[in-house]
Amino acid sequence: DTEVTQTPKHLVMGMTNKKSLKCEQHMGHRAMYWYKQKAKKPPELMFVYSYEKLSINESVPSRFSPECPNSSLLNLHLHALQPEDSALYLCASSQQISGGAYEQYFGPGTRLTVT
Amino acid sequence: AQSVTQLDSHVSVSEGTPVLLRCNYSSSYSPSLFWYVQHPNKGLQLLLKYTSAATLVKGINGFEAEFKKSETSFHLTKPSAHMSDAAEYFCVVVDSNYQLIWGAGTKLIIKP
């Protein structure tokens, strides 16, 4: 099974709301990632978790807060977002971070709209 | 630093004709390279990967890519396009910190 699941598929939130995106994988992967993708652009890396520890934070604003409760789950907590944060948010996982031998498997994404 | 350039933003072919999506990379060492595909409003799916084994790499759905070090290229090909191949294709190189460096993408359009 090479599936990464994400919920919800779509999310509309106001600028004062708090919401969370969820990601799950059952492939035994120890690295998990959050990406942001704007229309007609490649994904941009936001966060990387390795063995449930935050490994990389690509200077993402604090209104985005990641959490890795266990090796299968990854959350992205959202608070006080701006309209420019509207995008497709993709979760991915790989066996480990290191090396091109470990390809990343992507979920279907959450389409976020901030009003 | 590693970088990747996809030479065409759009490629249009007729169904049943060959597909060629071009990708050039820049790397100071022997790179790992991927091609991913993204269908409209979907996530990304790995088509194939090169990790310094065979230079001709076969992927899913009849796609293949050839690693040419002398030309720093990793072009994606398919002998016969199908309507279901219409999608955005991304060429990716792995950087020295093991993160993915993405090309800008090529939109493949299939004419009936």
Side-chain angles (χ1 to χ4, degrees), chain A residues 37 45 56 99-101 103-104, chain B residues 34 36 38 43-44 49 98-99:
Chain A
Q37 186 179 27
L45 183 65
I56 294 173
E103 61 267 29
Q104 294 183 23
Chain B
F34 302 94
Y36 279 88
Q38 187 172 31
L44 290 139
K49 68 176 184 180
Y98 308 121
Q99 299 312 309

Side-chain angles (χ1 to χ4, degrees), chain A residues 75-114:
Chain A
N75 297 323
L76 186 63
H77 303 296
L78 314 172
H79 173 56
L81 295 192
Q82 303 298 308
E84 60 265 29
D85 297 322
S86 297
L88 182 68
Y89 288 84
L90 294 161
C91 174
S93 71
S94 63
Q95 275 192 308
Q96 296 182 44
I97 285 180
S98 58
Y102 301 118
E103 61 267 29
Q104 294 183 23
Y105 293 89
F106 285 80
T110 293
R111 177 74 60 188
L112 173 67
T113 303
V114 181

